[in-house]
Coordinates of all heavy atoms in Angstrom, one line a residue:
Chain A
L4 N 2.3 1.9 -3.3 CA 1.4 2.6 -4.2 C 1.3 4.0 -3.9 O 1.3 4.9 -4.8 CB 0.1 1.9 -4.1 CG -0.1 0.5 -4.8 CD1 -1.5 0.0 -4.7 CD2 0.3 0.6 -6.3
F57 N 26.4 34.0 -11.0 CA 26.2 35.3 -10.4 C 25.9 35.2 -8.9 O 25.7 36.3 -8.3 CB 25.1 36.1 -11.1 CG 25.6 36.5 -12.6 CD1 25.4 35.6 -13.6 CD2 26.2 37.7 -12.7 CE1 25.8 36.0 -14.9 CE2 26.6 38.1 -14.0 CZ 26.4 37.3 -15.0
A193 N -0.6 34.9 -25.4 CA -0.6 33.5 -25.1 C 0.7 32.9 -25.2 O 1.2 32.0 -24.5 CB -1.7 32.8 -25.9
G195 N 3.7 34.4 -25.1 CA 4.5 34.8 -23.9 C 4.2 34.0 -22.7 O 5.1 33.5 -22.0
L212 N 14.1 16.3 -14.8 CA 14.5 16.3 -16.2 C 15.7 17.3 -16.3 O 15.5 18.6 -16.4 CB 13.4 16.9 -17.1 CG 12.0 16.2 -16.9 CD1 10.9 16.9 -17.7 CD2 12.0 14.7 -17.3
P219 N 15.6 20.2 -25.2 CA 14.3 20.3 -25.9 C 14.2 19.1 -26.9 O 13.0 18.7 -27.1 CB 14.5 21.6 -26.7 CG 15.9 22.0 -26.5 CD 16.5 21.3 -25.5
R278 N -9.2 7.7 -29.1 CA -9.6 9.1 -29.1 C -8.6 9.9 -29.8 O -7.8 10.6 -29.2 CB -9.8 9.6 -27.6 CG -11.0 8.9 -26.9 CD -11.2 9.7 -25.6 NE -11.7 11.1 -26.0 CZ -12.9 11.5 -26.1 NH1 -13.9 10.6 -25.9 NH2 -13.2 12.7 -26.3

Side-chain angles (χ1 to χ4, degrees):
Chain A
L4 284 182
F57 292 88
L212 310 175
R278 291 195 63 98

